[in-house]
Amino acid sequence: MVAMREPKVFPVFLFLFLSMASGAQHPSLMLSHKNLPEVIKGVDQYPLLKKSFLQVKMLADAALKNPINVPVPMDGGGGFTHEQHKKNYQYILASGMAYQITKETKYAEFVRAILLNYASQYETWPLHPKQKQSNPAGKIFWQNLNDCVWQVYVIQGYDLVYNYLNVADRNTIEKHLLVPVVKFLMEDNKETFDRIHNHGTWDVAAVGMTGYVLNKKDWVEKALKGSKIDGTTGFLEQINQLFSPDGYYTEGPYYQRYALLPFLLFSKAINQYQPGLKIYEYSNGVLKKAIHTALQLTYINGVFFPINDALKDKTFESEELVYGVDLAYADISADADLLNIAEKQDRVIISDAGLKVAKDVAAGKSKPFVYKSLWITDGNKGDEGGLGIVRSGENTDQQCILLKASAQGMGHGHFDRLNFLYYDNGVEVFSDYGSARFLNIETKTGGEYLPENKTWAKQTIAHNTVVVDQVSHFKGELTKAQAHHPQLIHFSPTKDLQVVSATDKYAYTGVDLTRTIVLANFKELEKPLIIDVFKVRSDKEHQYDLPFWYQGHITHTPFQIQSNTKKLEPLGIDFGYQHIWLNASGNSKTGNASVTILQNKRFYTTTFLADTSTLVEFVTLGANDPNFNLRNEKAFILSRQKAKDHLFISLTESHGNTNPTAETTIGFKGKVQSLKLITDTDEVSSFHFVVENKTYTITINYNNKQTFISIK
Amino acid sequence: MVAMREPKVFPVFLFLFLSMASGAQHPSLMLSHKNLPEVIKGVDQYPLLKKSFLQVKMLADAALKNPINVPVPMDGGGGFTHEQHKKNYQYILASGMAYQITKETKYAEFVRAILLNYASQYETWPLHPKQKQSNPAGKIFWQNLNDCVWQVYVIQGYDLVYNYLNVADRNTIEKHLLVPVVKFLMEDNKETFDRIHNHGTWDVAAVGMTGYVLNKKDWVEKALKGSKIDGTTGFLEQINQLFSPDGYYTEGPYYQRYALLPFLLFSKAINQYQPGLKIYEYSNGVLKKAIHTALQLTYINGVFFPINDALKDKTFESEELVYGVDLAYADISADADLLNIAEKQDRVIISDAGLKVAKDVAAGKSKPFVYKSLWITDGNKGDEGGLGIVRSGENTDQQCILLKASAQGMGHGHFDRLNFLYYDNGVEVFSDYGSARFLNIETKTGGEYLPENKTWAKQTIAHNTVVVDQVSHFKGELTKAQAHHPQLIHFSPTKDLQVVSATDKYAYTGVDLTRTIVLANFKELEKPLIIDVFKVRSDKEHQYDLPFWYQGHITHTPFQIQSNTKKLEPLGIDFGYQHIWLNASGNSKTGNASVTILQNKRFYTTTFLADTSTLVEFVTLGANDPNFNLRNEKAFILSRQKAKDHLFISLTESHGNTNPTAETTIGFKGKVQSLKLITDTDEVSSFHFVVENKTYTITINYNNKQTFISIK
C-alpha cells in the first residue's frame, strides 16, 4: 500500500470551478431534489432506511415538543447554553429532514422559527464570554470550532426548508444570520480559515457549504483555495496535506474518525454542485482511502485501535463513519463489503447515499468486510513511518497485531515508538491504555483530558514498548518527538508468515530500537505464533524495560516470584512510573520463562528470554491517583537491569479454552519450550525453541529483503 | 410464597409402587418408544430441536472417529483416565441418541462395543488408586460420586440401544457391568446410598434408573425408599428434606442448579415407568418449584446469583436447566414463559420433552419470562430464613435486589448474613465475589477451590454486610453458623414500594443485626430509589464496617479524602482483611456524603449518613495474594469506629447515562441531598432527605405489619 502521490491536479480544478452551476435547486446537499421521491419511497421499503428515519423523526419530534430556546451564549463545554445550542443545530437538521420526508409543514415551520430567532439575536452577541486560552473564541460557543460545526449542520437544515420559506424570511435569515456567521468564520477568524488543520477544515466546510446554498461563488472559491485564492491554503490543500498517501491522519484513528466528517460533508456538497471537479478523485483519491483506512484501523469488534489520545469504546458505529460508509459506497465505489459495516452500524444517513446503501443491504448484496494486513504510511508524503497491521483468521475470530511506527501525531500523540498491540478472539490481549479522560463527565476535571493523561497515558511505560532508564521517549517533549519518526525496515504479509519490522533511532540519544513482529503458522500449534523480537543497541549501559499490559487473569507463572504481599510501593518517581504499584518480581534461572493469562475464555502464554539479569516485574496501575482517575490495568515488565546491547524475544501462543457452561477446560498450558538465543549482531538475530519435541530455528536478516526471516 | 408442606403421601406410593409395569419397551427414559416417530420428524421440522440434535450428532461422530479407549482407572480429576471415562459416558449417551434418531447402526455398534469393553474389565478394577480422603472412592473415578454420574449416563445409553443388542450381549453387559456397578453403588457404598444429600441423590438415581431399565423392582424400591425400604432414606425422603417448601436448595443457586439434575433424571424415569406415582406432585410439588425457583434465582442476563461458593459465569444455559425447563414445560406445566428461557438456552434435550418445547417455540407460543419479587424460604420446613428478591422493570432493563437472610448452606456457605446484592441495566452494581476458584484449570491449585476461597471469599468482609470488630460472622466457624439462621421481619412486594426486612441475632454474640431494604418510586427520580437501612444494636462498643463492593469506576466523591498515594498496606490481619489494600479514606463533616460510580454507561450515587465518627475507606482486593489468585475488586467501606447502637442508612440512585458513540453524557449527578437521621429506637427508625427541594420522611415501624414503612 506504499504509494507516492500523483502530481496535484490543481489547474484542472481552477478551470472547472468557473463552471459552477448557479441557482441550483433545493435541497441539494445530502438529500437532493431529484432523488427525493425515491428516498421517500425507500423509507417505507428498506428496513435500514426506515429505522434510521424513525430515529431522525424522534429527534425532530422532540424538537417540536418544547418551546424554542435560543439562549444568549454564556456557558462553556457541558454547560447549559452550550448544550442547548448543540441540541438546536441537531434539531434544525433533523427537522429539515423530517420535513422533506413527511412533507409535514410543522417541521419546516420549526426550522423557520428557530432560524428567525437566531437571526434576531446573533448580531448582538459579542465573543463568547468563556473563551478558552488555547483556541479562538466563537460567538455561539466558547470555541470558534463549535461555531463552525453549528454552521455545517444549520446550512444543511436551511437547504432542506429553503423552498418552504418565503423570500422575506430567506432575506432575514441570510442577512442577519448566515452572512454574519460566514463573515465571522471567514474574515474575523481568517487565521483558522487558512489553517492546514482539522479546525481549518471545519471552517472552510462551513463557509463553502453555505456558499453553495446561498450561491456565493467567492465564498466557495475561498473555501476551496484559501482566503488569497492562491491554493496555498483552503480545502484542496488540506486534502493534500492532512492525510498520508494511504489516507492516514497523523493524530491516530480516534481523531482520524473525527477529522473525516467535515471532509466528507464538504466533498459531498462539492460533488453535488460541481460534479465536474471530481473531488473524490482529487489528490490520488485520498478521501476514499481515508474512509477505507479508518475502517482498517478497527478490530473485528468495530473498535478503533486506541493509539494516541483515544477513548477506547469508540467504534465504526460513530456518526462520522456512517457518513463515510454511505458516501463511499454510493458516490465513490460500491464495494459490497462496505454494506457489511453499514449493517453493523445499523443505520444510514437520510440521504441519496443512505437510500442506496439501505436498498442494497435489503437486496442481500452485503459481503463480509475484508480486513487486510497492511503497512499504512504516515506523513504527508508517506515517508514518516507508519502503522504495521497483521491479521490472521476470520472476522469472527481474528488474531490482529499492530506495530506503531508512525510519526508523533502532534499534541494528541503518545510517546510510544514501536508500541505493539495484540487482539484475539474478539478482544484485547496486549492493550493500550488510550487516553485518560471521562468525556463530558463534569465531575472528572470538567470532562476534559485528566491530568493523568499527561502523567500516565502519554508516557512510554504506559505502552508495550521499551523504556530506557525509566525515562520516556524524547523525555516526553513534543517538539523533539514531532521532529523525528521511525522507519519501516520490512513488511511482508505473506500467508502463514507475516512480518513487520521497524526501527527508531531518535527516541533516545545513543540507543537504537528495532522491533520485528512475526505471525507464523506452526503445524504443532492451534493458532499462529507471535514472534516479537525487540533489538536494543547502545554503546553505554542502560536499564531496558519492556512492559506487556495485558487484559485477563494470570493462571501460570512457572518461575520463582517474590510477592510484595504486605506493602506496595510505586515502581518509580516520574515518567509514569510513579503511577505503578510493584506487586511482585522474579527471576528465571533457566534462561527463559513464561506467563500464562486467561482472557475471554482463551489462554495466552508468552515465553521469553530471561536469566538472572532479567527481572520480571508484575505491576498494577493506580499509585499517586488521589482522585480515582486511573483504571487498574496490569502488566508484566521484562526489565534488563544493566546492558549495552540487548535482545528481547517473546513468543506468544493463543491456546486452549475454558467453557463455563459445560465446565470444561482444555489446553491450559502452552507448548513452546527451551527458547534460546543463538546470535545477535547488527545484521542478524537468531534463536531457537522447541514445540512438541521439534526444534525450530528462527533467523532474522535485517539487511536482506529477499530472505528477511527464515524458519527452519 | 411461604408455604407449609402437605403431609407426606407415602402410603399411597407404597401401594402404587407394586403396580410397576414389567418388561417395558425400550427406549423409555428421556426418549420413549411411543414418541420416537414424532421426535424424528421434529428434528427436521423444528429449528431448536434440529440444532440441538446436530450438536449431539457431532459428539457421537467424534466418538466414532477414534478407537475405543477404556483405560484402567488411574488419574484424579482433570487427569487423562478421568477425562477419558467422562468423555466415554457422554459418547455413550450421544451415540445412543444418534442411533435412535438416524437409525444408523454404526452408532449403536459403538455403544455395544464400548459397553462390552467396560464389561470385560470392570470387575477386575479395584477401588480407584487416587481416592480422596474427603469422599468415598469410586472404581472408575477417584470419587464414588463420579461413578454414579457415569452410571446415570450409561444406563440411558444402554436403554437407547437395548433393542439393537442381542440377548448374549445384553447378558454380558448386565452381568459383568451393570449389575456389578449397581452392587458397588448400592451395597458397597450403602452409606452414600442412604445419605440425605446430593451425593445420595446421584447414587439412588443411578441405581433406580438402572432398576427400571433392567426390570429389577427391588433396586427401584430401595432407590425410592432407602436400603431398609422403610422410607427413612432414599429418593422420596431426599425430595422431602433437601429442598425448602419453596424449592430452594440450601447451598445456594450455583449448587441448586447442580443438585437438580439427578432429581430431574430419576423423576423422569419414575414418571415414565410409574406415572401413577405422580412423582412431580410429590411433597407438594416441590420439584416443580425447585425448577422455577432456580430460574428466579437468576438476573435478567441469565446468571445465577453468586451467593455462597459459586462460579460467577454460570447461567441458566447450563445443561441442568435445559433438562429442568424441558421437563417442567412438557411434563409438569406448560407455562409459556418457560419457552422464553428455552430460546435463550438455544437448545433442548433430544427427548419427548425437547420435542414439545421446540415445537411450541416454533409455533411462536413463547412469552417473556416472568421475573418476580419473592421471599424464598430456606430450610426443610421453610422456617430457616430465606432470600428476599425485589425487582422492578422489564426483562431488558431491570433493577434487582437480593437480601440474603438464608441459613448457612453447609460447607459451601459463606459467612454473610444479611448480605445485599444490587443489579441494574443488565449488570452487577453491588456484587458478590462468588467463590475463589478457576474450575478445571490445573495450574490454579488443580482447578479446585483456592486457599483464598477460605481466607477471602467466605469471610464476611468479602460481602456487602456488617462486620463487627474486623471478625467474620460466627468467627468463620461452620458448625456454629449452621446451628442458626436469620429471620424474616417483613416482606411486601407492593408495586412502587417494595420492602424486605430481616434480622440476625446469632452472627455475633451480643450484637443484633437488622437490615431493611426498600425499592421505592419517587416522581422526582428516573428510577426507583434503593433505601438500605442497617440497624445494629449492642450493649458494648464495637467497630462496625459495612462494605459496598462495586463494579464500575468512581466518578465523584464530594468530601475530603486522604489518599495513600505512595504506599499501600493491608487493612487488617485476618478474616479477609489481610487481602484488602487501603487506597484512601475520608470523613464527611456535613453529616452525610456520597459516592458516584459509572457502571455500564449508567451512573449510581449512594448517599449515606456520615459524620466525623464514620470513616469512608476505599479499598482494592489483592494483598497477600502471592499467586495472583484474586480478582482486584473494589469497595468503599463505611466504618463506624466506636459505637454501641448504630444505624447505617444508604440511598442508592440509578441515574443518567453516557453514550460513547454519540459522545453525550446526561445526569451524571445524583439528586438526593441532606440525608438526616431523625430517630432510631428498637421499634422505629426514621430519617429524611431532600430531592429537588422536596423533603421526604421515611419511617420504619419494625413491629407494625400494617404500616411497616411510611414515606411522607
Side-chain angles (χ1 to χ4, degrees):
Chain A
M1 201 164 166
V2 183
M4 285 306 293
R5 195 170 296 206
E6 283 176 10
K8 296 175 196 171
V9 289
F10 195 72
V12 181
F13 265 69
L14 196 63
F15 168 73
L16 286 169
F17 178 72
L18 301 171
S19 69
M20 168 179 159
S22 67
Q25 287 192 298
H26 300 274
S28 270
L29 295 172
M30 298 301 296
L31 265 176
S32 76
H33 187 261
K34 192 179 61 152
N35 285 320
L36 243 174
E38 281 300 309
V39 176
I40 291 169
K41 253 194 280 172
V43 165
D44 269 344
Q45 284 176 303
Y46 309 121
L48 203 48
L49 192 60
K50 181 173 206 161
K51 187 188 301 183
S52 305
F53 177 67
L54 288 179
Q55 282 168 15
V56 167
K57 188 167 168 293
M58 199 183 301
L59 187 60
D61 289 335
L64 268 58
K65 225 178 61 183
N66 296 311
I68 284 170
N69 190 347
V70 180
V72 175
M74 205 161 79
D75 303 323
F80 171 73
T81 71
H82 181 98
E83 291 301 318
Q84 186 62 43
H85 287 294
K86 210 169 141 184
K87 268 190 208 164
N88 283 350
Y89 69 63
Q90 291 164 341
Y91 286 163
I92 289 168
L93 178 56
S95 301
M97 286 175 173
Y99 168 64
Q100 286 294 353
I101 301 298
T102 66
K103 302 299 178 204
E104 290 184 52
T105 55
K106 65 180 179 184
Y107 296 115
E109 186 53 33
F110 167 81
V111 178
R112 175 186 165 274
I114 195 169
L115 289 180
L116 286 172
N117 190 320
Y118 270 103
S120 74
Q121 298 190 60
Y122 181 80
E123 290 168 302
T124 70
W125 291 341
L127 279 188
H128 195 283
K130 284 264 171 67
Q131 51 197 280
K132 282 168 138 182
Q133 289 236 321
S134 55
N135 286 307
K139 289 179 73 172
I140 310 172
F141 298 95
W142 62 344
Q143 295 184 89
N144 164 56
L145 171 64
N146 299 105
D147 281 35
C148 295
V149 175
W150 184 93
Q151 177 63 10
V152 164
Y153 277 78
V154 165
I155 191 61
Q156 294 183 71
Y158 182 70
D159 178 48
L160 289 163
V161 302
Y162 189 92
N163 291 334
Y164 171 81
L165 302 173
N166 64 32
V167 175
D169 288 341
R170 282 185 208 150
N171 283 344
T172 305
I173 292 167
E174 294 188 9
K175 186 170 170 199
H176 297 291
L177 182 62
L178 302 178
V179 172
V181 167
V182 165
K183 182 186 164 295
F184 178 69
L185 300 183
M186 184 170 67
E187 294 173 17
D188 301 1
N189 280 282
K190 196 164 111 176
E191 206 179 317
T192 301
F193 186 81
D194 280 340
R195 238 180 123 188
I196 304 292
H197 180 279
N198 173 247
H199 292 189
T201 311
W202 277 106
D203 202 332
V204 298
V207 171
M209 289 167 72
T210 310
Y212 280 126
V213 174
L214 269 56
N215 196 26
K216 304 278 193 191
K217 292 188 191 175
D218 58 323
W219 296 358
V220 174
E221 206 160 0
K222 283 180 178 167
L224 287 172
K225 294 183 283 178
S227 63
K228 291 189 216 139
I229 323 188
D230 61 359
T232 55
T233 68
F235 190 63
L236 298 175
E237 192 57 15
Q238 287 171 359
I239 295 179
N240 282 326
Q241 286 197 32
L242 286 178
F243 293 98
S244 83
D246 289 337
Y248 177 66
Y249 181 71
T250 191
E251 287 187 312
Y254 176 80
Y255 279 99
Q256 166 136 7
R257 163 201 60 80
Y258 181 71
L260 261 180
L261 190 54
F263 279 102
L264 296 169
L265 294 170
F266 192 19
S267 295
K268 173 67 180 175
I270 295 168
N271 201 50
Q272 292 292 95
Y273 281 85
Q274 298 185 274
L277 287 193
K278 295 191 190 303
I279 188 71
Y280 294 124
E281 289 168 32
Y282 185 70
S283 201
N284 207 20
V286 74
L287 285 181
K288 176 188 174 182
K289 287 182 191 164
I291 297 168
H292 280 267
T293 294
L295 294 172
Q296 292 291 347
L297 290 172
T298 63
Y299 182 52
I300 55 172
N301 57 2
V303 173
F304 289 101
F305 299 132
I307 50 173
N308 294 338
D309 283 347
L311 297 180
K312 291 194 75 168
D313 38 19
K314 208 73 191 172
T315 70
F316 57 46
E317 290 163 33
S318 66
E319 186 173 37
E320 300 89 349
L321 268 291
V322 180
Y323 276 98
V325 166
D326 290 1
L327 292 177
Y329 184 79
D331 290 359
I332 307 179
S333 171
D335 306 329
D337 70 335
L338 287 174
L339 299 178
N340 184 216
I341 304 290
E343 288 173 307
K344 291 184 179 168
Q345 291 170 335
D346 204 24
R347 68 182 176 122
V348 293
I349 304 300
I350 308 306
S351 61
D352 303 0
L355 168 71
K356 183 163 181 192
V357 168
K359 186 177 177 177
D360 286 0
V361 164
K365 292 188 183 171
S366 169
K367 288 191 178 151
F369 183 71
V370 182
Y371 277 111
K372 295 172 185 162
S373 292
L374 292 171
W375 172 257
I376 298 173
T377 58
D378 193 0
N380 165 241
K381 297 190 182 60
D383 58 358
E384 298 179 23
L387 299 176
I389 300 170
V390 171
R391 307 190 193 245
S392 171
E394 302 299 312
N395 285 8
T396 48
D397 182 7
Q398 180 194 73
Q399 284 190 301
C400 174
I401 286 162
L402 175 81
L403 176 63
K404 188 188 184 222
S406 53
Q408 183 64 20
M410 308 197 285
H412 288 299
H414 288 195
F415 299 93
D416 60 344
R417 299 289 152 98
L418 309 187
N419 186 12
F420 153 66
L421 303 185
Y422 172 45
Y423 297 79
D424 187 35
N425 193 23
V427 295
E428 294 179 315
V429 180
F430 296 134
S431 54
D432 193 303
Y433 190 87
S435 57
R437 183 181 192 184
F438 291 84
L439 188 72
N440 292 332
I441 300 180
E442 252 189 58
T443 49
K444 288 291 193 187
T445 324
E448 289 290 322
Y449 287 100
L450 297 164
E452 290 78 9
N453 196 55
K454 196 169 172 204
T455 61
W456 168 252
K458 285 189 174 183
Q459 300 299 326
T460 308
I461 191 65
H463 304 84
N464 305 312
T465 187
V466 164
V467 186
V468 177
D469 299 330
Q470 296 204 350
V471 174
S472 285
H473 296 174
F474 302 100
K475 297 190 180 124
E477 293 171 22
L478 176 59
T479 38
K480 285 187 191 162
Q482 194 64 29
H484 301 283
H485 54 78
Q487 205 172 336
L488 176 68
I489 295 180
H490 187 74
F491 176 71
S492 159
T494 317
K495 196 177 174 317
D496 297 343
L497 181 62
Q498 305 191 72
V499 186
V500 58
S501 179
T503 188
D504 187 279
K505 299 181 192 308
Y506 304 98
Y508 295 105
T509 309
V511 183
D512 287 1
L513 307 174
T514 303
R515 191 170 205 168
T516 304
I517 299 188
V518 180
L519 194 63
N521 286 15
F522 292 88
K523 64 176 189 304
E524 295 84 0
L525 297 177
E526 294 171 51
K527 303 258 171 189
L529 179 71
I530 297 162
I531 301 171
D532 172 19
V533 181
F534 206 133
K535 181 198 279 289
V536 188
R537 311 296 274 184
S538 180
D539 290 339
K540 299 206 178 111
E541 280 197 336
H542 296 284
Q543 176 184 325
Y544 300 124
D545 289 351
L546 176 57
F548 290 81
W549 290 95
Y550 64 86
Q551 300 293 323
H553 199 111
I554 288 180
T555 60
H556 201 35
T557 51
F559 56 100
Q560 198 74 36
I561 291 172
Q562 294 77 44
S563 182
N564 300 322
T565 53
K566 300 207 178 352
K567 191 174 73 174
L568 291 191
E569 289 176 312
L571 191 56
I573 53 164
D574 53 11
F575 293 108
Y577 280 80
Q578 75 275 23
H579 288 302
I580 299 175
W581 298 117
L582 177 62
N583 298 101
S585 55
N587 282 112
S588 171
K589 285 159 191 160
T590 64
N592 63 67
S594 69
V595 173
T596 300
I597 287 156
L598 174 65
Q599 158 70 338
N600 190 26
K601 309 188 181 83
R602 193 173 284 176
F603 296 92
Y604 298 90
T605 296
T606 301
T607 304
F608 44 83
L609 288 183
D611 55 21
T612 48
S613 64
T614 296
L615 205 59
V616 186
E617 296 167 323
F618 296 86
V619 301
T620 304
L621 182 61
N624 280 292
D625 178 24
N627 299 313
F628 312 111
N629 282 344
L630 294 170
R631 299 193 308 272
N632 301 122
E633 308 265 311
K634 290 174 166 288
F636 57 91
I637 302 175
L638 309 183
S639 182
R640 182 66 155 85
Q641 301 286 311
K642 260 191 171 185
K644 293 177 177 175
D645 297 341
H646 185 66
L647 192 72
F648 292 97
I649 301 177
S650 325
L651 310 179
T652 298
E653 298 167 68
S654 164
H655 58 95
N657 69 69
T658 175
N659 179 337
T661 303
E663 300 204 345
T664 57
T665 295
I666 56 170
F668 53 81
K669 273 195 180 167
K671 289 182 178 169
V672 168
Q673 290 180 315
S674 310
L675 171 62
K676 204 172 166 204
L677 181 64
I678 299 170
T679 182
D680 182 38
T681 68
D682 283 355
E683 295 79 29
V684 174
S685 298
S686 180
F687 52 95
H688 60 64
F689 58 88
V690 175
V691 189
E692 293 198 338
N693 299 320
K694 180 153 171 44
T695 299
Y696 285 101
T697 301
I698 313 284
T699 307
I700 300 173
N701 304 289
Y702 294 96
N703 301 326
N704 186 336
K705 294 280 171 195
Q706 272 64 52
T707 314
F708 185 83
I709 183 168
S710 77
I711 300 183
K712 276 170 188 161
Chain B
M1 202 160 165
V2 184
M4 285 306 293
R5 195 168 296 206
E6 282 175 14
K8 296 175 195 170
V9 289
F10 193 73
V12 180
F13 265 69
L14 195 65
F15 168 74
L16 284 168
F17 178 72
L18 301 170
S19 69
M20 168 181 160
S22 67
Q25 288 193 300
H26 300 275
S28 271
L29 294 171
M30 299 300 297
L31 266 176
S32 75
H33 187 261
K34 190 180 61 151
N35 286 319
L36 244 174
E38 280 301 309
V39 175
I40 292 169
K41 254 194 281 173
V43 164
D44 267 345
Q45 285 177 302
Y46 309 121
L48 203 49
L49 192 61
K50 181 174 206 159
K51 189 188 298 182
S52 305
F53 176 67
L54 288 179
Q55 283 168 14
V56 167
K57 187 167 170 292
M58 200 183 298
L59 187 59
D61 289 334
L64 268 58
K65 226 177 64 182
N66 296 311
I68 282 170
N69 190 347
V70 180
V72 175
M74 205 161 78
D75 302 323
F80 172 72
T81 71
H82 181 97
E83 292 301 319
Q84 185 62 43
H85 287 293
K86 209 169 142 184
K87 267 190 208 164
N88 283 350
Y89 70 63
Q90 291 164 340
Y91 285 164
I92 288 167
L93 179 55
S95 300
M97 287 176 172
Y99 167 64
Q100 286 295 353
I101 300 299
T102 66
K103 302 300 178 202
E104 290 184 54
T105 54
K106 66 180 180 183
Y107 296 115
E109 185 53 32
F110 167 82
V111 179
R112 175 185 165 273
I114 194 169
L115 289 180
L116 286 172
N117 189 321
Y118 270 104
S120 73
Q121 297 191 60
Y122 181 80
E123 290 169 302
T124 69
W125 291 341
L127 279 189
H128 196 283
K130 284 264 171 66
Q131 51 196 281
K132 282 168 139 184
Q133 289 238 320
S134 55
N135 285 307
K139 289 179 72 171
I140 310 172
F141 298 93
W142 62 343
Q143 294 185 91
N144 165 56
L145 171 64
N146 300 104
D147 281 36
C148 294
V149 175
W150 185 92
Q151 177 63 11
V152 164
Y153 277 78
V154 165
I155 192 59
Q156 294 183 70
Y158 182 69
D159 178 47
L160 289 164
V161 302
Y162 188 93
N163 291 334
Y164 171 80
L165 302 173
N166 64 32
V167 175
D169 287 342
R170 283 185 208 149
N171 282 344
T172 305
I173 292 166
E174 294 188 9
K175 185 169 173 199
H176 297 292
L177 181 63
L178 303 178
V179 172
V181 166
V182 165
K183 180 185 167 294
F184 178 68
L185 301 184
M186 184 170 66
E187 294 174 15
D188 301 1
N189 279 281
K190 195 164 108 175
E191 204 179 319
T192 301
F193 186 81
D194 279 340
R195 239 179 124 189
I196 305 292
H197 180 278
N198 173 247
H199 291 189
T201 311
W202 278 105
D203 201 332
V204 298
V207 171
M209 289 167 72
T210 310
Y212 281 125
V213 174
L214 270 56
N215 196 25
K216 304 278 192 192
K217 292 186 191 178
D218 57 324
W219 296 358
V220 173
E221 205 159 2
K222 284 181 178 168
L224 287 172
K225 293 184 282 179
S227 63
K228 290 190 217 140
I229 323 189
D230 63 358
T232 55
T233 68
F235 190 63
L236 298 176
E237 192 55 15
Q238 288 171 358
I239 296 178
N240 282 326
Q241 286 197 33
L242 287 179
F243 294 97
S244 83
D246 289 337
Y248 178 66
Y249 180 72
T250 191
E251 288 187 311
Y254 176 80
Y255 279 100
Q256 166 137 6
R257 164 201 59 80
Y258 180 72
L260 261 180
L261 191 54
F263 280 102
L264 296 169
L265 293 170
F266 192 20
S267 296
K268 173 67 180 173
I270 295 168
N271 201 50
Q272 292 291 96
Y273 280 85
Q274 298 185 273
L277 287 193
K278 296 192 190 301
I279 189 70
Y280 294 124
E281 290 168 32
Y282 185 70
S283 202
N284 206 20
V286 75
L287 285 179
K288 177 190 174 183
K289 288 181 189 164
I291 297 169
H292 280 265
T293 294
L295 294 172
Q296 292 292 347
L297 290 171
T298 63
Y299 183 53
I300 54 171
N301 57 3
V303 173
F304 289 101
F305 299 132
I307 50 174
N308 294 337
D309 283 347
L311 298 180
K312 291 194 72 167
D313 37 19
K314 207 72 191 174
T315 71
F316 57 46
E317 291 165 32
S318 66
E319 186 172 37
E320 300 89 348
L321 269 290
V322 179
Y323 275 98
V325 166
D326 290 1
L327 292 177
Y329 184 79
D331 289 0
I332 307 178
S333 171
D335 306 329
D337 70 334
L338 287 174
L339 299 177
N340 185 216
I341 304 290
E343 288 173 307
K344 290 185 179 168
Q345 290 170 334
D346 204 24
R347 67 183 177 120
V348 293
I349 304 300
I350 308 307
S351 61
D352 302 1
L355 168 69
K356 183 162 182 194
V357 168
K359 186 177 177 179
D360 286 0
V361 164
K365 293 188 183 172
S366 169
K367 289 192 178 149
F369 182 71
V370 182
Y371 277 111
K372 294 173 186 160
S373 292
L374 292 171
W375 172 258
I376 298 173
T377 58
D378 194 0
N380 166 240
K381 297 189 181 61
D383 59 357
E384 298 180 22
L387 300 176
I389 300 170
V390 170
R391 307 187 191 246
S392 172
E394 303 299 310
N395 285 7
T396 48
D397 182 7
Q398 181 194 74
Q399 284 190 302
C400 174
I401 286 163
L402 175 80
L403 176 63
K404 187 189 184 219
S406 53
Q408 183 62 21
M410 306 196 285
H412 288 299
H414 288 194
F415 298 93
D416 60 345
R417 298 290 152 98
L418 309 187
N419 186 13
F420 154 66
L421 304 185
Y422 173 45
Y423 296 78
D424 186 35
N425 193 22
V427 296
E428 296 179 314
V429 180
F430 296 133
S431 55
D432 193 304
Y433 190 87
S435 56
R437 183 180 192 184
F438 290 84
L439 188 72
N440 292 332
I441 300 179
E442 251 188 60
T443 48
K444 289 289 194 188
T445 323
E448 289 291 321
Y449 286 100
L450 297 164
E452 289 78 9
N453 196 55
K454 197 170 173 205
T455 61
W456 168 251
K458 285 189 174 182
Q459 299 300 325
T460 308
I461 191 64
H463 305 85
N464 305 312
T465 188
V466 164
V467 186
V468 177
D469 298 331
Q470 296 205 350
V471 174
S472 285
H473 296 174
F474 302 100
K475 298 189 180 125
E477 293 170 24
L478 176 58
T479 38
K480 285 186 192 163
Q482 194 65 28
H484 301 282
H485 54 78
Q487 206 172 335
L488 176 67
I489 295 180
H490 188 73
F491 176 70
S492 160
T494 317
K495 195 177 176 311
D496 296 344
L497 182 61
Q498 306 192 70
V499 187
V500 58
S501 179
T503 188
D504 187 280
K505 299 181 192 307
Y506 303 99
Y508 296 104
T509 308
V511 184
D512 287 0
L513 307 175
T514 302
R515 192 170 205 168
T516 305
I517 300 188
V518 180
L519 194 63
N521 285 15
F522 292 87
K523 64 177 190 304
E524 295 84 0
L525 298 175
E526 295 170 52
K527 304 255 171 192
L529 179 71
I530 297 161
I531 300 172
D532 172 19
V533 181
F534 205 132
K535 182 199 279 287
V536 188
R537 311 296 275 183
S538 180
D539 290 338
K540 300 206 179 113
E541 281 200 334
H542 297 284
Q543 176 184 326
Y544 300 124
D545 289 352
L546 176 57
F548 290 82
W549 290 95
Y550 64 85
Q551 299 293 322
H553 199 110
I554 288 179
T555 59
H556 201 34
T557 50
F559 56 100
Q560 199 73 36
I561 291 173
Q562 295 77 43
S563 181
N564 299 322
T565 53
K566 299 207 177 352
K567 190 173 75 173
L568 290 191
E569 289 175 314
L571 191 56
I573 52 165
D574 52 10
F575 293 108
Y577 281 79
Q578 75 275 22
H579 288 301
I580 298 175
W581 298 117
L582 177 64
N583 298 101
S585 55
N587 283 109
S588 170
K589 285 157 191 161
T590 64
N592 64 68
S594 70
V595 173
T596 300
I597 287 156
L598 174 64
Q599 158 70 337
N600 190 28
K601 309 190 181 80
R602 194 172 283 177
F603 296 91
Y604 299 91
T605 296
T606 301
T607 303
F608 44 83
L609 288 183
D611 55 22
T612 48
S613 64
T614 296
L615 204 59
V616 186
E617 297 168 322
F618 296 86
V619 301
T620 304
L621 183 61
N624 280 293
D625 178 25
N627 299 313
F628 312 111
N629 282 344
L630 294 171
R631 299 193 307 272
N632 301 122
E633 307 266 311
K634 289 171 167 291
F636 56 92
I637 301 176
L638 309 183
S639 183
R640 181 67 157 85
Q641 300 287 311
K642 261 192 171 183
K644 293 178 177 174
D645 297 341
H646 186 64
L647 192 72
F648 291 99
I649 301 177
S650 325
L651 310 179
T652 299
E653 297 168 69
S654 165
H655 58 96
N657 68 70
T658 176
N659 178 337
T661 303
E663 299 202 348
T664 56
T665 296
I666 56 170
F668 53 80
K669 271 194 182 166
K671 290 182 176 169
V672 168
Q673 291 180 316
S674 311
L675 171 62
K676 204 172 164 203
L677 182 64
I678 299 170
T679 182
D680 183 38
T681 68
D682 282 355
E683 295 78 29
V684 173
S685 300
S686 180
F687 53 95
H688 59 66
F689 59 90
V690 176
V691 189
E692 293 198 337
N693 300 318
K694 181 153 172 42
T695 300
Y696 286 102
T697 302
I698 314 283
T699 307
I700 300 173
N701 304 290
Y702 294 97
N703 301 326
N704 185 337
K705 294 278 171 197
Q706 272 64 51
T707 315
F708 186 82
I709 183 168
S710 78
I711 301 183
K712 277 172 188 161

